[in-house]
Amino acid sequence: MKKHDTSTLPQLEQVAQKLYPQLKAGDVIFLRGDLGMGKTTFTQFLLKVAGVKEHIKSPTYTLFEQYQVGAVTYVHMDLYRLSDPEELYFLGIEDLINPQHILIIEWPEKGTGVLPKANKEISFGGNTSNRTLTITSN
């Protein structure tokens, strides 16, 4: 079980609450940062704010999980275990890139050349007890 510094969880939740109203179907969000910086935890907060009721799993081993909220499908991808960007084609990336989907992608550098351009990038820096988040809109 992953341990998180609980002092930074409210920060992640606040950022998720502020980001959610800015999202629209078709958006692509890249999450960048080292292991253990809170990318998956942030995504779980964001999906809860969006209205996902079911348990939100980490896609570390499945590479992606989908959640339907109304007419929008949220696709949470974790590409850490991806060996080659071409593997995304075997996962059906063409179907996941959809104007009714919002893609939230951890480790997007593993999909360089295959992934679409991001609308927003969130960089997780610092350390687990003093986390910094930088959001860039493209």
Side-chain angles (χ1 to χ4, degrees):
M1 180 175 199
K2 260 188 195 174
K3 288 187 177 181
H4 293 283
D5 176 6
T6 56
S7 66
T8 60
L9 292 181
Q11 176 191 22
L12 293 176
E13 190 170 19
Q14 289 171 356
V15 173
Q17 289 172 346
K18 289 180 182 175
L19 179 63
Y20 171 71
Q22 300 173 32
L23 300 180
K24 63 186 180 318
D27 278 352
V28 177
I29 305 163
F30 286 173
L31 305 180
R32 298 185 185 277
D34 292 334
L35 283 171
M37 292 306 297
K39 296 179 297 294
T40 297
T41 302
F42 170 80
T43 302
Q44 290 169 330
F45 283 133
L46 184 62
L47 293 173
K48 283 183 192 269
V49 171
V52 174
K53 302 289 186 219
E54 69 252 40
H55 175 69
I56 301 166
K57 301 181 283 186
S58 170
T60 299
Y61 295 102
T62 58
L63 298 181
F64 74 93
E65 295 287 340
Q66 296 184 68
Y67 303 93
Q68 189 73 38
V69 179
V72 178
T73 300
Y74 292 84
V75 181
H76 178 199
M77 302 179 79
D78 183 337
L79 305 183
Y80 182 75
R81 297 181 64 236
L82 204 67
S83 300
D84 185 307
E86 298 291 316
E87 291 177 49
L88 287 168
Y89 292 114
F90 297 111
L91 292 173
I93 190 68
E94 296 97 343
D95 294 327
L96 297 175
I97 300 169
N98 180 308
Q100 296 305 312
H101 292 179
I102 293 176
L103 302 181
I104 305 166
I105 305 170
E106 298 182 43
W107 303 97
E109 59 276 8
K110 298 272 193 159
T112 300
V114 175
L115 292 175
K117 183 179 175 190
N119 302 82
K120 295 188 184 318
E121 292 194 31
I122 304 174
S123 297
F124 294 71
N127 56 53
T128 56
S129 62
N130 186 21
R131 191 171 284 130
T132 60
L133 298 175
T134 304
I135 301 175
T136 306
S137 295
N138 300 325

